[in-house]
Amino acid sequence: MKTQFILSTMMALSLSACTAVGPDFTPPTMDMPAAFTAGGGSSFQSPELQMWWRELKDPLLNDLVAQGLANNLTIQSSLARIRKSEAQLRATGINAQTTGNLTSSVNRAGADNLPTTTNDTSILSGTFVIDLFGDIKRGQEQAAANLEASGFNLGDARAAVTQSIVMHYVSARFAQEAAALTRKTVASREQTLSLVRAKRRAGTASEFEIVQAEADLFTAKADLHGYLSNFESAVFAMTTVLDADPAPILLKMQRGASQPNPRGASSLGKPADLLRNIPSVRVAESTYAAAVAGLGVQEAKLLPSLTLSGSLTVSDPHSWSFGPAFSLPVFNRPALKANRDAQIAAVEEAALNWRAAVRAAVGEVETQSNSLVRSNRQIALLRSAVGSSETALTLNKANFEAGRSSLIELLDAERTTSARRLALAAEVQSATIEWANLQVALGRGWKIAQ
């Protein structure tokens, strides 16, 4: 009996040293261009820790981003998923190999003309699964990869939240700037209307010209209300991301500030940096690793399994049992093969998703960097156009007062100047959002919790 026990145990332990079935995961690689089309430089040092939004030098924006990273519900959900993945990982390995229970019972029995008896019984039973072909090992690898993916999902959520807060903030400041410019337009058109009315009283202007000037003034006032509404909408959208009461933030934002406008060019690093710096790419890689480990799990299920079971009964009399059990899937083998084949397809899909994530990351940097370059060129040209338009408007007003030009010429000059001012403000908004998108696309700032 003892000899059989020792042999069985030695056989189980030797078999447990077998190599895990299924492929081992190797981090994927991909041919990458040497540089971005807009140029590039040396690799970033820890870009995930760089608080890029602080480069806009706006204390209120910094506070809002910190608040969003602390309170945003998507980030909170990502943290909950990490805790879930951590718990799932703890359930693997030795914890997945071992099961057992302790059961205790007390029975009292008796009958007529017989004494009452008490029977106390305690049974301790347990089962240990021998990881013959790496089912347990691959399951642990799969859980670890899923936990890693959850961590990078959190980074992705932080990047998205920061990007969203900055976008809404920039949009709100543009709406304020547009409202301020429109107020200047309203004042200019009120002045024009006064001039036309004075000319009408002098008999040198028609009623039609008064109506025309009034229409332009009412249009500008209507535009003003539109920009004020856009400002409030942007603030409310931002407070939704912050999971905050909108009233105090709206009050702070109404105090006004200049449009955020980053200065200087952004260093792009190298395309190969994106493989490590972009959380969405890292999520795809971890998901790929989990799929590869899952294939090993499915492969192992097609092979024999071995368990060691034992029990100890404390009663009268005491008893115990111990021994191995061998199991081979037979009737469920077609279903297990189907599961294995489905997992092979899942591995292929995960590999393609990783390549797609890399391509998307490179494409996003290319798109945002080139858009930013063009926006900065447009801003320079629009600044010149605004300066020329304002000079032309001043000359037109002087000519109109002196009777050397028509109202139509003056109104056209006002419309042109107003449109170019708004176009400049809109292009500054676009450039700032493109700059922010570029920072996220480069993998900056996603590891900052608060």
Side-chain angles (χ1 to χ4, degrees):
M1 184 68 179
K2 290 184 178 179
T3 303
Q4 290 179 345
F5 171 77
I6 294 171
L7 290 174
S8 297
T9 304
M10 289 179 64
M11 179 186 70
L13 293 175
S14 63
L15 286 172
S16 68
C18 293
T19 303
V21 297
D24 291 323
F25 177 72
T26 302
T29 58
M30 194 169 158
D31 290 336
M32 303 289 284
F36 295 105
T37 57
S42 58
S43 298
F44 289 119
Q45 296 298 318
S46 302
E48 70 278 7
L49 302 177
Q50 297 171 4
M51 301 183 190
W52 56 267
W53 53 92
R54 294 191 174 184
E55 294 171 24
L56 295 173
K57 302 187 184 308
D58 190 319
L60 178 56
L61 176 59
N62 295 340
D63 291 343
L64 293 172
V65 170
Q67 185 177 348
L69 292 175
N71 298 336
N72 177 262
L73 298 180
T74 301
I75 290 177
Q76 297 303 315
S77 296
S78 297
L79 288 167
R81 284 195 292 272
I82 287 178
R83 292 192 292 271
K84 176 184 174 182
S85 297
E86 287 173 340
Q88 290 172 335
L89 178 58
R90 292 199 305 272
T92 64
I94 189 66
N95 293 328
Q97 290 180 267
T98 308
T99 59
N101 297 285
L102 174 63
T103 305
S104 295
S105 63
V106 177
N107 293 315
R108 290 177 63 82
D112 292 343
N113 302 319
L114 290 176
T116 300
T117 60
T118 301
N119 184 25
D120 296 336
T121 304
S122 295
I123 302 175
L124 177 64
S125 61
T127 301
F128 183 79
V129 179
I130 305 299
D131 195 17
L132 287 178
F133 300 103
D135 183 5
I136 303 296
K137 179 176 182 292
R138 294 303 190 194
Q140 191 169 37
E141 290 175 359
Q142 187 176 29
N146 286 330
L147 174 58
E148 189 176 53
S150 296
F152 290 124
N153 266 318
L154 173 61
D156 212 20
R158 286 173 174 159
V161 166
T162 305
Q163 186 178 24
S164 181
I165 292 170
V166 172
M167 181 189 71
H168 292 311
Y169 185 88
V170 169
S171 297
R173 291 306 188 202
F174 161 71
Q176 281 185 311
E177 178 69 12
L181 293 173
T182 305
R183 288 189 184 97
K184 290 177 67 174
T185 300
V186 167
S188 177
R189 290 180 182 177
E190 285 176 340
Q191 184 181 17
T192 299
L193 179 59
S194 297
L195 289 173
V196 175
R197 283 173 174 165
K199 284 179 172 285
R200 176 68 176 134
R201 288 192 295 270
T204 57
S206 66
E207 189 67 27
F208 172 74
E209 289 177 315
I210 290 178
V211 173
Q212 206 172 18
E214 288 177 337
D216 273 17
L217 175 59
F218 294 145
T219 300
K221 288 183 175 180
D223 290 342
L224 175 59
H225 285 287
Y227 289 124
L228 293 175
S229 177
N230 291 344
F231 164 74
E232 292 175 350
S233 297
V235 173
F236 294 148
M238 182 171 60
T239 56
T240 300
V241 178
L242 298 174
D243 188 32
D245 180 8
I249 294 176
L250 181 63
L251 183 61
K252 290 179 181 179
M253 292 291 292
Q254 284 173 337
R255 295 169 187 163
S258 59
Q259 276 188 276
N261 186 12
R263 303 295 182 181
S266 292
S267 176
L268 302 182
K270 300 177 181 178
D273 296 339
L274 303 182
L275 299 179
R276 306 260 60 85
N277 295 344
I278 306 302
S280 59
V281 173
R282 302 295 298 274
V283 169
E285 182 179 328
S286 297
T287 302
Y288 182 20
V292 171
L295 178 56
V297 172
Q298 297 302 325
E299 289 279 5
K301 288 180 179 179
L302 287 165
L303 299 171
S305 62
L306 180 66
T307 58
L308 298 176
S309 299
S311 66
L312 173 64
T313 302
V314 180
S315 183
D316 189 15
H318 299 336
S319 64
W320 62 272
S321 66
F322 176 77
F326 182 81
S327 176
L328 179 67
V330 179
F331 297 114
N332 63 336
R333 197 169 186 80
L336 294 175
K337 283 185 175 180
N339 292 339
R340 187 268 317 274
D341 293 343
Q343 191 61 31
I344 290 174
V347 170
E348 294 172 354
E349 181 183 14
L352 293 171
N353 288 341
W354 177 82
R355 290 182 63 85
V358 174
R359 290 299 183 199
V362 174
E364 183 68 8
V365 173
E366 295 282 19
T367 298
Q368 299 300 334
S369 59
N370 282 280
S371 296
L372 181 58
V373 169
R374 294 190 180 279
S375 288
N376 286 332
R377 290 172 182 167
Q378 286 179 271
I379 288 171
L381 293 171
L382 285 169
R383 289 191 197 281
S384 299
V386 167
S388 298
S389 292
E390 288 176 343
T391 301
L393 176 59
T394 301
L395 294 173
N396 256 293
K397 281 188 177 180
N399 289 336
F400 179 72
E401 289 181 37
R404 292 191 298 269
S405 65
S406 67
L407 176 64
I408 292 177
E409 290 175 311
L410 177 57
L411 293 179
D412 282 345
E414 285 183 337
R415 294 188 196 110
T416 300
T417 302
S418 175
R420 286 174 179 168
R421 285 170 177 165
L422 290 171
L424 174 58
E427 200 57 45
V428 170
Q429 176 197 23
S430 296
T432 305
I433 290 176
E434 289 161 358
W435 176 84
N437 292 342
L438 178 59
Q439 308 317 303
V440 174
L442 291 171
R444 300 182 69 195
W446 56 265
K447 213 168 185 179
I448 304 300
Q450 219 171 331

